[in-house]
Amino acid sequence: LSQWERLLESDNWTLYLLRYRSEVVAGAVISTLESGYDYTFAASEPSVKDSSRILLYCVREELARNSGGTLDIGGGITEEDSLSAFKRNMGGVPVNFVRCRFGKKDLFSSREDAFERLSNRWP
């Protein structure tokens, strides 16, 4: 709890909660970026059907009303998985990029090796 409180003290992070029948059923922490926002952390109550989708929709609407920029909701595992279909349905536009989430000092033998390996695997 203390780590979350410290995180949310910063103006760079905002907590959004979705309530249904007076209960919190979903929540997300959105980080502010130079170009918009990132859907950084999210959790939802699995027993409340589509609570995560409704929260995402409400967050997007709230951000659109109050500011400009894009909302990055991360990536799926394959180009045509259910997340990519959901994003297209919400008006998303594919943007190609390379991301390395985990690494260690000696993971790649050179910069060229890194680009070659990362361009041929997910994420």
Side-chain angles (χ1 to χ4, degrees):
L1 178 61
S2 67
Q3 292 173 341
W4 281 104
E5 288 171 340
R6 250 192 330 251
L7 175 76
L8 294 172
E9 285 175 0
S10 168
D11 291 338
N12 294 325
W13 303 91
T14 305
L15 174 64
Y16 291 87
L17 298 174
L18 178 67
R19 295 179 189 277
Y20 178 68
R21 296 186 178 162
S22 303
E23 297 288 326
V24 174
V25 295
V29 174
I30 308 298
S31 58
T32 303
L33 309 171
E34 287 183 24
S35 61
Y37 304 92
D38 183 76
Y39 200 75
T40 308
F41 303 105
S44 62
E45 174 59 52
S47 66
V48 180
K49 185 174 174 18
D50 292 328
S51 59
S52 62
R53 292 180 185 208
I54 295 167
L55 174 66
L56 179 57
Y57 176 82
C58 292
V59 166
R60 184 191 71 151
E61 291 297 303
E62 179 71 15
L63 293 173
R65 264 195 305 276
N66 295 316
S67 61
T70 59
L71 174 60
D72 182 350
I73 61 171
I77 295 176
T78 65
E79 190 61 34
E80 296 301 319
D81 65 8
S82 62
L83 180 58
S84 67
F86 174 68
K87 288 179 179 182
R88 281 192 308 278
N89 192 33
M90 296 282 285
V93 177
V95 175
N96 293 321
F97 65 92
V98 173
R99 178 183 290 171
C100 181
R101 293 189 175 163
F102 302 97
K104 61 180 185 174
K105 186 176 182 180
D106 299 325
L107 184 62
F108 306 111
S109 61
S110 66
R111 181 180 172 142
E112 291 77 20
D113 181 43
F115 280 106
E116 175 63 28
R117 290 180 188 228
L118 291 172
S119 65
N120 293 318
R121 64 191 324 160
W122 176 87

